[in-house]
Amino acid sequence: MVNDFIKLFSGYDGDFGIADMSKATLDSEKNKLKPDYEWSGRPVTAKDYENHINGKISIGIQPCRLDGTAQFGCIDIDPKNYKDFKTEKYLALFQQYKLPLVPILSKSGGLHGYIFLKKAIHTVDLIEALKAFLLPLRLKPTTEVFPKQKELQKDDKGDIKPGNFINLPYYNNGSSNRYAIDKNNSKLSVEEFIKFANESKIDKETLDKLVEDTHRNILVGTNPEF
């Protein structure tokens, strides 16, 4: 099970993020918990993923790899006020526009729309596809998508700058409100999530067509050339 989880969230492996929930503070404006974030400073291991699921450490992964490709990404649906947030609205839009997004609740009660690919593609192409999906989801163009970096940079010393990581779901086996849900808003176990995510994987050709269809559906009634 852990190996299957690792395959889904395989990204830059030279470092990984840590979210210290013991130092979390409350954003009173958004009613959102904000942990203390930092990079570990060492390569991620299979044991780190296992400890994440077992609730020993909360880790995050940078989806962009050294070769400028990625095989998973995410749209971070970050509402103005988490207290009044309704996931059902976005579950309906995922289905209406046939978006291959796996809905996962965030640690604060928002929603992450994850996409998983059969094979890694150029990160820039994945970012552009996720940004295209913002329109049918009625989200602002400034909505966060991951990966954030199109490629990883190096500092003056030649060391890799890891950029931004995204916190992984199923910390403490999903008991911390970071778990996937189905179209009926029902919780999925980590095993059910892995099965759902693998069934939702798409290839580059399908992704390109989905982006094209998404634009056409939004611009229904206009000239396709437009």
Side-chain angles (χ1 to χ4, degrees):
M1 183 267 289
V2 174
N3 287 336
D4 291 330
F5 187 83
I6 293 173
K7 289 178 182 178
L8 288 174
F9 295 106
S10 175
Y12 173 60
D13 58 8
D15 206 337
F16 66 98
I18 298 175
D20 189 345
M21 302 304 294
S22 67
K23 298 180 181 179
T25 57
L26 178 66
D27 183 337
S28 57
E29 183 178 343
K30 290 189 173 184
N31 196 38
K32 172 183 178 179
L33 278 176
K34 298 180 66 175
D36 183 46
Y37 296 112
E38 61 182 5
W39 285 96
S40 69
R42 64 172 176 82
V44 66
T45 67
K47 189 64 177 179
D48 294 317
Y49 283 92
E50 182 180 351
N51 286 338
H52 172 86
I53 294 174
N54 291 334
K56 295 180 180 180
I57 184 175
S58 178
I59 72 170
I61 295 294
Q62 159 67 277
C64 182
R65 300 171 173 178
L66 282 174
D67 62 357
T69 66
Q71 70 174 48
F72 80 94
C74 173
I75 296 175
D76 184 3
I77 303 175
D78 189 22
K80 290 183 177 180
N81 191 315
Y82 282 76
K83 184 178 180 181
D84 302 323
F85 181 67
K86 302 294 182 184
T87 61
E88 292 84 359
K89 169 186 174 181
Y90 295 99
L91 296 180
L93 290 173
F94 288 2
Q95 295 179 64
Q96 178 181 347
Y97 291 101
K98 299 179 181 178
L99 302 179
L101 299 175
V102 176
I104 298 179
L105 299 184
S106 71
K107 63 184 180 303
S108 306
L111 189 67
H112 288 165
Y114 274 90
I115 186 168
F116 298 97
L117 300 158
K118 292 182 178 179
K119 291 184 179 180
I121 65 174
H122 291 300
T123 305
V124 63
D125 293 332
L126 178 55
I127 292 173
E128 290 306 313
L130 291 173
K131 287 184 176 180
F133 294 157
L134 298 180
L135 189 59
L137 292 176
R138 302 164 194 172
L139 295 170
K140 294 180 179 180
T142 53
T143 299
E144 279 190 313
V145 300
F146 292 85
K148 282 191 174 184
Q149 286 76 34
K150 296 177 181 179
E151 60 182 3
L152 299 183
Q153 304 292 329
K154 293 184 178 180
D155 61 21
D156 295 336
K157 297 180 180 179
D159 296 326
I160 295 295
K161 297 166 64 176
N164 299 86
F165 62 83
I166 184 166
N167 293 304
L168 299 191
Y170 287 94
Y171 168 66
N172 201 16
N173 207 22
S175 64
S176 61
N177 202 36
R178 288 155 67 179
Y179 53 80
I181 52 178
D182 63 17
K183 63 180 181 180
N184 298 314
N185 202 12
S186 297
K187 179 179 180 178
L188 299 179
S189 67
V190 64
E191 292 83 6
E192 290 171 330
F193 156 68
I194 290 172
K195 182 175 184 295
F196 181 27
N198 281 320
E199 290 173 348
S200 301
K201 283 183 177 180
I202 62 172
D203 55 28
K204 178 64 164 55
E205 182 180 22
T206 304
L207 180 63
D208 290 342
K209 187 175 186 306
L210 278 169
V211 171
E212 181 181 342
D213 290 346
T214 296
H215 288 158
R216 183 178 292 113
N217 289 334
I218 291 295
L219 299 172
V220 63
T222 64
N223 188 325
E225 292 299 318
F226 176 73

